[in-house]
């Protein structure tokens, strides 16, 4: 594991964006040889998306030959609902870049057969040649995507019921009304992300500090599903100072070099 | 961008680098247009997997819905209340010229006239879509002849009428036909006006109160029977009085039927209404304010004498009077001038000023689902303006129909 500690949110976002940008450019994607990117939603990656858009608008980065696979999507929320992950990705990323709509894959939470939708998504990833770089975040309860505490660490894309912690954390996006928050979601599995050739987890803010501690200083545990990445050959955790607040001084000093 | 032809035959245009008026705010968003309508790009992306065929850089301009003028008597030498042989080419000329003022739809207005004029002119005003040929015609606005003699303003007294035994039938006989009529201005204190208002409202015609000495309860009764507009507030009506606010009192009346809104036209040319009065009206009822030009034939022409129906008027700068008097008679202001003056006089936001000339008239006429906004699936009638609200380009159904010459002509 690499643990990259930046001073604040903006610097962490920029570091992560630069890393993604460089990975794509070094790969030299072209017709028939796409760079596949796994993408997250939520507050944490917003700064990173803004930076990627900036690089694109500067002419430094094109998404023409990039395929994307989002981690998750709510079940039962209309696709054009302002809080759906389709809306999030359109407003915060897709509408600002030159990605081919056929290459932007997001799970359909309104599919008539949800498990079939999940299976098809796994197949699409496989047909795309697997994921080159999966970017993710971490929940306060240590979840990756919607792999809530107790999720199998070898799980695949499937339907999940959301934990109360997650529903409470999401309430702020639904006018604080718990009854409006979706209770189920389709999500890539821990195993699905583990299959990626490289994984980058973004963690910023003091409220994520305990989850980061559990993820990297304690053992691999299905109650803190991000801990699974201790067993991935190429994972980078990108965080800001606040996110390290629950780590041992020794750990932080080691990774700061 | 990858080729789009497999998605749709109709080209998709993306206007970038602009601020659009949407949801009552200027937002940094692109505007997407296809087949003459505003397109939802998110739906295009996810449902159709489509993207833009053409991208146009708007260089930071403001994009607003096209202006809608519901009271315009003519312009550029053309008088809509005059039954000339070349009436049709006259209306075409005006509809073309006002594109440069940002007007994409209008209601040609006829002042009080003898029945023969209505019978000759009305059939020649066809409701039609706008385009490169000119702004769209929404229908005629008949201002009179059922108005008050005491508040005739510039209207010819000998043509003013009341409702006789036939009430609505009298109106029909006077006008000849109501085909293509969109708005009728009348004075509600005239006997039997209530039933006339009801009949007009039943036929989907907007009834406006104006050129009247009605008191507040008469005005409120008219509203209860269906009236929804006030013709050039303050002008040609009783002044506001604190014990009987008259028609002006409708702005804050509590007798408006639930779910309905009373709109009021304002000529914000700096002459018809003192800025302080404009501000009072705006602050009392901001959502009802509709900017109108009430422009006459002399608009766009040099100062001097011009006709307005049966009268002769004199233009001096922005002032227009009945020749030889101090009675105001229409204006020579253009719609974009009115918008700028309104912005300056009230200190309101740019969004508010733009909506007073687009969204509000559309709401008045009940067409806000396709005109007056930049909402998805609306008609793509829009303007490019600079920050001072000068019109740089006018689009109707997604096509550019006027653009400011680089030399500023």
């Amino acid at each position: 594991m690499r643990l990259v500690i930046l001073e604040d949110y903006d610097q962490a976002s920029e570091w992560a964006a630069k890393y993604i940008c460089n990975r794509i450019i070094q790969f030299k994607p072209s017709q028939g040889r796409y760079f596949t990117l796994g993408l997250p939603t939520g507050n944490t990656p917003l700064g990173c998306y803004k930076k990627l858009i900036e690089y694109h608008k500067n002419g430094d980065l094109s998404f023409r030959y990039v395929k994307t696979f989002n981690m998750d999507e709510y079940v039962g929320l209309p696709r054009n609902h302002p809080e759906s992950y389709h809306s999030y990705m359109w407003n915060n990323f897709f509408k600002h870049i030159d990605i081919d709509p056929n290459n932007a894959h997001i799970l359909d939470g309104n599919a008539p057969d949800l498990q079939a939708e999940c299976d098809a998504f796994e197949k699409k990833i496989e047909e795309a040649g697997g994921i080159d770089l999966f970017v993710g975040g971490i929940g306060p309860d240590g979840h990756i995507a919607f792999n809530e505490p107790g999720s199998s660490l070898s799980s695949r894309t499937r339907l999940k019921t959301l934990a109360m912690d997650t529903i409470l954390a999401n309430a702020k996006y639904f006018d604080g009304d718990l009854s409006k928050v979706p209770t189920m979601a389709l999500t890539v599995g821990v195993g699905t992300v583990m299959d990626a050739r490289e994984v980058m987890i973004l963690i910023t803010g003091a409220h994520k500090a305990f989850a980061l501690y559990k993820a990297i200083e304690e053992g691999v545990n299905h109650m803190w599903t991000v801990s699974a990445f201790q067993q991935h050959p190429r994972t980078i955790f990108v965080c800001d100072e606040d996110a390290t607040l629950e780590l041992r001084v020794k750990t932080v000093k080691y990774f700061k070099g | 961008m990858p080729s789009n032809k497999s998605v749709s035959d109709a080209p998709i245009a993306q206007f970038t680098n602009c601020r659009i008026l949407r949801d009552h705010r200027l937002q940094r968003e692109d505007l997407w247009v296809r087949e003459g309508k505003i397109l939802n790009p998110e739906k295009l992306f996810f449902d159709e997997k489509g993207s833009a065929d053409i991208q146009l850089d708007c260089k930071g301009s403001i994009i607003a819905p096209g202006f809608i003028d519901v009271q315009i008597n003519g312009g550029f030498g053309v008088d809509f209340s005059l039954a000339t042989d070349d009436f049709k080419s006259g209306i075409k000329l005006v509809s073309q010229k006002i594109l440069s003022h940002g007007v994409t739809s209008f209601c040609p207005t006829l002042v009080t006239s003898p029945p023969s004029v209505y019978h000759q002119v009305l059939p020649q005003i066809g409701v039609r879509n706008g385009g490169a040929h000119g702004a769209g015609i929404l229908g005629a606005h008949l201002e009179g002849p059922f108005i008050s003699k005491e508040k005739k303003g510039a209207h010819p007294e000998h043509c003013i009428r009341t409702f006789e035994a036939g009430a609505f039938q009298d109106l029909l006989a006077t006008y000849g036909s109501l085909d293509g009529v969109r708005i009728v201005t009348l004075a509600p204190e005239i006997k039997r006006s209530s039933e006339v208002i009801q009949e007009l409202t039943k036929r989907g015609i907007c009834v406006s109160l104006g050129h009247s000495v009605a008191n507040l309860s008469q005005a409120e009764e008219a509203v209860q029977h269906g009236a929804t507009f006030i013709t050039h507030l303050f002008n040609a009506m009783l002044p506001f009085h604190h014990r009987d606010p008259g028609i002006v009192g409708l702005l804050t009346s509590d007798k408006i039927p639930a779910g309905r809104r009373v709109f009021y036209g304002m000529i914000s040319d700096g002459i018809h209404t003192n800025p302080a009065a404009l501000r009072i009206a705006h602050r009392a009822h901001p959502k009802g304010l509709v900017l109108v030009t009430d422009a006459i034939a002399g608009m766009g022409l040099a100062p001097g004498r011009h006709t307005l129906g049966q009268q002769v008027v004199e233009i001096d700068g922005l002032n227009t009077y009945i020749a030889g008097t101090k009675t105001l008679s229409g204006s020579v202001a253009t719609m974009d001038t009115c918008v700028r003056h309104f912005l300056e006089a009230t200190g309101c936001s740019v969004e508010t000023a733009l909506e007073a000339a687009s969204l509000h008239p559309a709401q008045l006429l009940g067409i806000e689902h396709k005109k007056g906004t930049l909402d998805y699936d609306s008609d793509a009638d829009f303007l490019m303006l600079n920050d001072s609200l000068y019109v740089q380009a006018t689009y109707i159904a997604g096509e550019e129909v006027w653009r400011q010459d680089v030399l500023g002509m």
Side-chain angles (χ1 to χ4, degrees):
Chain A
M1 172 195 83
R2 268 178 82 181
L3 179 64
V4 178
I5 303 168
L6 285 309
E7 200 178 309
D8 57 25
Y9 176 77
D10 289 337
Q11 294 199 27
S13 301
E14 189 170 1
W15 195 98
K18 278 196 176 139
Y19 190 85
I20 296 168
C21 182
N22 288 337
R23 270 277 172 268
I24 296 173
I25 291 173
Q26 280 160 12
F27 184 88
K28 293 202 191 31
S30 60
Q31 183 67 36
R33 187 171 169 273
Y34 289 78
F35 185 88
T36 46
L37 200 51
L39 293 177
T41 51
N43 255 340
T44 309
L46 283 175
C48 179
Y49 282 130
K50 281 201 172 72
K51 277 289 173 192
L52 287 172
I53 292 164
E54 197 187 294
Y55 304 151
H56 168 68
K57 291 223 189 301
N58 287 343
D60 296 331
L61 178 60
S62 165
F63 290 86
R64 185 132 189 244
Y65 299 114
V66 173
K67 283 190 174 157
T68 65
F69 291 88
N70 265 68
M71 295 184 126
D72 41 24
E73 174 61 286
Y74 289 117
V75 165
L77 203 58
R79 205 221 56 225
N80 61 359
H81 188 285
E83 292 303 324
S84 81
Y85 287 167
H86 279 77
S87 295
Y88 176 102
M89 289 308 297
W90 168 255
N91 285 310
N92 294 309
F93 198 47
F94 295 147
K95 80 176 176 196
H96 306 278
I97 59 172
D98 62 343
I99 189 166
D100 182 337
N102 288 300
N103 292 335
H105 302 281
I106 308 181
L107 285 155
D108 177 7
N110 293 299
D113 183 342
L114 294 172
Q115 192 51 53
E117 169 69 12
C118 294
D119 296 340
F121 199 73
E122 288 273 343
K123 196 126 208 291
K124 281 190 206 137
I125 294 175
E126 199 188 327
E127 281 161 2
I131 309 258
D132 292 306
L133 172 59
F134 217 126
V135 182
I138 186 174
D141 60 0
H143 70 226
I144 173 99
F146 276 130
N147 292 289
E148 306 285 55
S151 294
S152 162
L153 299 181
S154 46
S155 50
R156 310 303 305 182
T157 305
R158 70 223 183 283
L159 171 69
K160 279 294 280 181
T161 311
L162 302 183
M164 182 45 79
D165 270 352
T166 304
I167 293 175
L168 288 172
N170 286 346
K172 63 176 177 279
Y173 303 120
F174 293 86
D175 300 322
D177 184 351
L178 285 181
S179 66
K180 291 204 176 110
V181 185
T183 54
M184 296 200 291
L186 300 183
T187 178
V188 293
V190 182
T192 317
V193 184
M194 284 289 285
D195 279 354
R197 286 180 272 288
E198 189 172 8
V199 176
M200 182 165 76
I201 310 283
L202 299 177
I203 308 173
T204 56
H207 59 300
K208 300 285 175 85
F210 191 73
L212 178 59
Y213 148 64
K214 281 290 186 185
I216 66 175
E217 285 188 334
E218 298 280 294
V220 172
N221 188 310
H222 67 171
M223 295 312 265
W224 301 89
T225 50
V226 179
S227 63
F229 294 93
Q230 292 177 24
Q231 300 199 302
H232 188 284
R234 257 179 114 197
T235 294
I236 308 178
F237 284 82
V238 180
C239 59
D240 61 359
E241 292 283 355
D242 283 347
T244 65
L245 287 172
E246 295 283 354
L247 298 179
R248 285 206 175 132
V249 175
K250 191 160 135 184
T251 309
V252 172
K253 283 193 171 194
Y254 174 71
F255 285 103
K256 273 191 172 167
Chain B
M1 285 307 304
S3 164
N4 215 23
K5 281 302 164 191
S6 57
V7 169
S8 74
D9 285 324
I12 296 170
Q14 179 186 5
F15 293 83
T16 66
N17 193 8
C18 51
R19 286 159 290 150
I20 70 173
L21 177 58
R22 186 175 282 155
D23 294 334
H24 314 294
R25 290 175 17 235
L26 276 183
Q27 311 184 19
R28 193 17 238 109
E29 284 287 350
D30 295 345
L31 186 76
W32 294 65
V33 178
R34 175 169 66 182
E35 287 180 304
K37 300 222 184 269
I38 312 279
L39 180 64
N40 182 340
E42 187 180 346
K43 227 164 155 240
L44 175 72
F45 186 90
F46 288 125
D47 289 349
E48 296 181 57
K49 311 275 185 236
S51 44
D53 294 303
I54 329 157
Q55 286 181 319
L56 295 121
D57 184 342
C58 301
K59 305 203 178 10
S61 294
I62 291 173
I63 297 190
F67 298 147
I68 300 173
D69 194 353
V70 301
Q71 188 172 5
I72 166 172
N73 309 287
F76 306 96
V78 175
D79 179 355
F80 298 144
S81 306
L82 222 49
T84 59
D85 289 330
D86 57 350
F87 184 86
K88 277 212 163 113
S89 57
I91 220 179
K92 184 163 190 266
L93 177 76
V94 174
S95 68
Q96 216 161 26
K97 291 280 198 179
I98 57 180
L99 292 176
S100 67
H101 305 158
V103 177
T104 52
S105 301
F106 70 109
C107 293
T109 305
L110 273 72
V111 296
T112 296
S113 304
S116 55
V117 168
Y118 297 116
H119 295 183
Q120 282 176 272
V121 165
L122 279 181
Q124 301 193 61
I125 300 177
V127 171
R128 61 140 194 244
N129 289 329
H133 54 269
I137 295 175
L138 298 170
H141 175 170
L142 303 181
E143 190 189 4
F146 303 100
I147 56 172
S148 156
K149 286 200 167 142
E150 290 161 67
K151 288 293 175 187
K152 62 182 191 289
H155 293 223
E157 184 163 343
H158 65 282
C159 298
I160 292 175
R161 304 164 76 93
T162 54
F163 300 118
E164 300 307 321
F168 182 72
Q169 294 310 318
D170 287 344
L171 179 139
L172 209 47
T174 304
Y175 294 146
S177 154
L178 286 172
D179 287 342
V181 173
R182 202 66 194 77
I183 308 174
V184 169
T185 293
L186 49 75
E189 70 273 19
I190 296 179
K191 268 228 293 258
R192 313 213 35 206
S193 66
S194 298
E195 41 186 289
V196 173
I197 295 173
Q198 278 178 315
E199 284 297 325
L200 288 169
T201 308
K202 257 205 309 222
R203 286 163 171 71
I205 292 174
C206 167
V207 176
S208 185
L209 308 179
H211 288 276
S212 154
V213 294
N215 58 34
L216 181 56
S217 23
Q218 284 166 326
E220 283 168 338
E221 199 190 321
V223 169
Q224 267 143 21
H225 287 288
T228 51
F229 196 42
I230 301 171
T231 299
H232 45 55
L233 186 78
F234 295 130
N235 301 106
M237 56 186 66
L238 290 176
F240 175 88
H241 185 283
H242 51 288
R243 275 189 295 279
D244 189 348
I247 291 176
V248 179
L250 285 177
L251 264 58
T252 47
S253 163
D254 57 358
K255 305 255 187 328
I256 313 294
R260 274 228 261 128
R261 187 187 305 174
V262 170
F263 291 88
Y264 56 100
M266 295 238 60
I267 308 170
S268 70
D269 60 352
I271 292 160
H272 279 73
T273 311
N274 183 294
L278 180 60
R279 285 190 287 273
I280 286 177
H282 169 62
R283 288 178 202 176
H285 183 28
K287 288 193 155 73
L289 200 150
V290 172
L291 292 176
V292 301
T293 58
D294 201 15
I296 58 163
M299 181 266 285
L301 298 182
R305 293 193 156 212
H306 302 276
T307 66
L308 175 60
Q310 313 293 312
Q311 307 267 40
V312 177
V313 299
E314 187 125 22
I315 297 170
D316 172 19
L318 274 178
N319 297 289
T320 61
Y321 301 108
I322 296 184
T325 73
K326 279 288 169 204
T327 304
L328 287 175
S329 57
S331 85
V332 289
T334 63
M335 186 55 110
D336 57 319
T337 309
C338 289
V339 171
R340 287 192 295 273
H341 181 264
F342 176 66
L343 178 74
E344 201 209 306
T346 58
C348 67
S349 65
V350 164
E351 293 91 329
T352 301
L354 293 171
E355 286 189 336
S358 56
L359 174 66
H360 292 176
Q363 288 172 326
L364 165 71
L365 297 179
I367 55 175
E368 69 269 30
H369 55 285
K370 54 179 187 137
K371 300 267 188 225
T373 71
L374 296 176
D375 292 347
Y376 300 137
D377 299 328
S378 275
D379 291 350
D381 297 348
F382 58 91
L383 312 172
M384 286 192 204
L385 307 124
N386 66 13
D387 285 353
S388 310
L389 301 189
Y390 280 85
V391 183
Q392 298 165 320
T394 306
Y395 287 74
I396 293 184
E399 299 297 322
E400 184 184 286
V401 295
W402 180 82
R403 176 164 284 277
Q404 163 114 93
D405 224 330
V406 173
L407 297 172
M409 319 250 221

